[in-house]
Amino acid sequence: MGAAAPVMTLAAVDLGASTAVAGLAVALVGLGQVLGGIPSGQLVARLGERASTIWGTAVGLTGVLLCLLAPNVVVLCAGLLITGLSNAVWGLGRMTYLAEAVTLDRRARAMSLFGGAMRLGFFLGPLLGAGAILAVGIRGGFVVQFVAFLVAGWMLARVPLPAGALSEPIATAPISLLGVVHRHHLVLCTLGAGSLLMGAARASREVILPLWAHHIEIDAATASALFGLAAALELVFAYPAGHLMDRFGRVPVAVPSLTILSLSYLAVPLTYSTLTLGAVAVALGVGNGIGNGLIMVLGADIAPPGIRAEFLAAWRLTHDCGAFGGPLLLGVLAGAAPLAVAALTIGGVAALGAVVMGRYIPRHIPWPAQPLPQKVNS
């Protein structure tokens, strides 16, 4: 995905799309992920984790192939939407696997490292994509994505399943998404609201930084370097974040993460140079980095064992809706009001997320979640 992200807009423009249509085309990946999140829980529960991973790979490869060979913008948009659908199945499969495979005392470290590995992929992907672009043209990023998708699908299909994982189809009918929402509406409407707000706060940094850099006349290369610096800091904080969550609970990571994001967005209108915007980019990287794996950890903490896949599908949907809605809100505000208003609004969203997380995590996830083992004197 990291290799393809920089070329999605360029491919649409190369096929004759306007800037607005190109931006909409890229948003289709997020829309596909939201739409795919609706049936993904039943799919994993009905087919099993392994079969779902294989089908998700096949669908994703189809989407990437359409992007690679698209003769027009319509086919490109269809490919991007299909790729987003497959991401939803993959996301749920890996989340369910980790929830089953890792014990509670190591859960946060494992999931934070996993989140760090994903960010490493997004950091290295554009570098590999750049080489492919030089070799085959603008769509070289899709070539890297196709090969990576194929290899990753093959590897995931060979991963040993932990005890209790859904390796085979279940005999009973899975519960629907509406059924999960009805049964667990309290946690989804409270802690799930915090997940939605965090998704919006995280995704919006990818929009506000380049827009503000353009606003204060920073060139594209420098803006890209600032992005790289923020991404590097996110990787640095992956393991420390998990260690803190395993030792002290989820609140001491969730609230500072969103608070730092909020203060960073509120500071964006005060920046006027590369140095000042770079400081904000660093703060955004730190704020997002210490939240590495947090949503996966919270979902694994509260997922009922009997309907784990179906519940995690609903849980992921809260975050995905925020990740899709945050940049959309920014785009609307940027078109209707000064850009500073958009930055301040997202800062408010992040601050509200910090309040919601601080209020409802202890309610649904008491810490410590289980008695700690007693030391035995020799």
Side-chain angles (χ1 to χ4, degrees), residues 191-323:
L191 195 53
S195 172
L196 185 146
L197 294 168
M198 188 166 202
R202 282 174 163 178
S204 296
R205 75 192 191 282
E206 298 175 3
V207 179
I208 197 66
L209 278 180
L211 287 178
W212 194 263
H214 177 73
H215 176 70
I216 61 176
E217 300 181 347
I218 293 177
D219 63 88
T222 303
S224 180
L226 295 179
F227 255 100
L229 178 61
L233 286 169
E234 290 179 20
L235 293 175
V236 169
F237 281 90
Y239 185 80
H243 180 76
L244 287 174
M245 280 191 279
D246 277 334
R247 183 167 184 180
F248 300 109
R250 314 324 188 195
V251 175
V253 168
V255 173
S257 173
L258 282 162
T259 301
I260 294 172
L261 288 174
S262 174
L263 294 175
S264 301
Y265 284 124
L266 295 176
V268 165
L270 302 178
T271 61
Y272 55 89
S273 65
T274 300
L275 182 61
T276 53
L277 186 60
V280 169
V282 166
L284 286 170
V286 172
N288 195 55
I290 63 175
N292 259 325
L294 175 66
I295 298 301
M296 288 193 294
V297 172
L298 294 178
D301 286 342
I302 60 179
I307 54 169
R308 191 184 298 274
E310 296 95 325
F311 179 86
L312 288 178
W315 174 253
R316 274 183 54 85
L317 193 59
T318 61
H319 189 264
D320 289 344
C321 285

Side-chain angles (χ1 to χ4, degrees), residues 95 110 133 289 352:
M95 193 173 179
I133 290 170
L352 180 60

